[in-house]
């Protein structure tokens, strides 16, 4: 797909998309965080699914189960006790007062059913999202979450000031999928960063606003980092396999790694804030810091595709599936999306040190 695809939706539609997003966050009725999660899920799926990057007219079909699975992914981190500020809640019992870790509420009433379900799996010893998806009760969790999802956010997200304004997709409760209106998938791809950033900031604020949460958070710690941050302790699990694949050399400069090296998100975390097993490379600390939140140059992109998608996709899946979502197709789709935006925005791509290059304007490679 080339950059011309970004001209398929006219400017008026794109402005309308942004205006509706702003209205939704202001005029929508958000008594819980589920609607923010749905907005986030729609944006993510539009960049994660290869069909939305095709030259063919987009079908815009997203199954409800795709949305439900994304929902579970988004809430998995939130089912951890809030410990970033070393906070506990004192509860009274027969033996007196006991300090217990507190799982942040996601609505104004009792704890959400999904969070309670996820916390129970954690109590059973499930430590990662990848392990959760391999649990024998995974389909049961999908079924429970599907019911909650269909009863709540799926048909309520587009209620503005009490009226249905179905800008994203029509409400058809007889189907097992939603069909995005023309141009919506394109706009979610074009403005993914904006949609996710707004969804996360409003989601974080809503969590802060619930009285019981506020008493625990107390204005301390970085709540957004706790709710949506990368698990750095898990990322180091990728070091050994990457070290072997790269033969002990830095992915970017190809010089020997004198120490263990740093695991880098090839498509930067700032652009796609999720840990995917096929999106990791091992690099010198200096190279990692120089690259920062930039997309890497074409030569790095081509080598990443060769290394992680073509040659070592099975190895990465085998070694990392217990810790991360390992779907090479998703990583490839995210790269496609990111480099398409680079073409559209004429973004500079990091080469080395302080050197950058402009992304090529010709149809070559897998991502233009």
């Amino acid at each position: 797909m080339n950059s011309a695809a970004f001209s398929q939706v006219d400017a008026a539609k794109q402005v309308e998309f942004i205006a509706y997003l702003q209205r939704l966050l202001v005029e929508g009725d958000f008594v819980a965080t589920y609607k923010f999660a749905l907005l986030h899920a729609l944006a993510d799926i539009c960049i994660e699914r290869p069909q939305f990057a095709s030259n063919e007219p987009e079908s815009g079909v997203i199954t409800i189960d795709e949305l439900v699975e994304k929902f579970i992914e988004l809430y998995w981190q939130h089912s951890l006790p809030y410990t970033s500020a070393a906070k506990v809640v004192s509860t009274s019992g027969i033996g007196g007062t006991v300090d217990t870790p507190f799982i942040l509420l996601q609505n104004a009433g009792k704890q959400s059913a999904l969070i309670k379900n996820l916390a129970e799996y954690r109590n059973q010893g499930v430590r990662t999202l990848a392990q959760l998806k391999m649990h024998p009760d995974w389909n049961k969790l999908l079924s429970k979450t599907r019911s909650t999802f269909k009863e709540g956010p799926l048909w309520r997200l587009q209620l503005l000031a009490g009226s249905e304004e179905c800008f994203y997709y029509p409400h058809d409760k007889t189907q097992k999928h939603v069909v995005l209106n023309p141009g919506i998938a394109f706009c979610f791809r074009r403005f993914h960063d904006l949609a996710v950033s707004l969804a996360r900031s409003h989601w974080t604020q809503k969590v802060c606003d619930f009285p019981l949460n506020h008493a625990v958070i107390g204005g301390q710690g970085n709540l957004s980092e706790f709710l949506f941050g990368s698990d750095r302790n898990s990322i180091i699990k990728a070091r050994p396999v990457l070290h072997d694949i790269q033969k002990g050399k830095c992915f970017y400069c190809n010089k020997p790694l004198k120490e263990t090296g740093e695991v880098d998100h090839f498509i930067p975390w700032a652009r796609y804030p999720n840990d995917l097993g096929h999106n990791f490379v091992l690099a010198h600390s200096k190279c990692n810091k120089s690259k920062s939140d930039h997309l890497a140059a074409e030569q790095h992109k081509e080598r990443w595709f060769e290394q992680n998608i073509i040659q070592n996709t099975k190895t990465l899946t085998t070694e990392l599936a217990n810790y991360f979502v390992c779907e090479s197709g998703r990583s490839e789709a995210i790269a496609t999306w990111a480099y398409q935006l680079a073409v559209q925005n004429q973004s500079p791509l990091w080469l080395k040190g302080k050197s950058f290059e402009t992304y090529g304007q010709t149809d070559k490679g897998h991502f233009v």
Side-chain angles (χ1 to χ4, degrees), residues 101-127:
F102 181 71
I103 297 177
L104 297 172
L105 297 177
Q106 297 283 340
N107 55 35
K110 297 179 181 179
Q111 183 59 276
S112 72
L114 177 54
I115 292 294
K116 288 194 291 186
N117 289 333
L118 294 178
E120 178 56 34
Y121 285 110
R122 287 188 181 275
N123 290 337
Q124 294 175 19
V126 178
R127 293 290 173 261

Side-chain angles (χ1 to χ4, degrees), residues 49 69 73 133 276 278 325-332:
R49 302 297 186 263
E69 184 170 345
E73 290 182 16
K133 292 186 177 185
L276 300 178
H278 292 83
V325 174
C326 289
E327 300 173 6
S328 61
R330 187 190 296 197
S331 291
E332 184 178 352

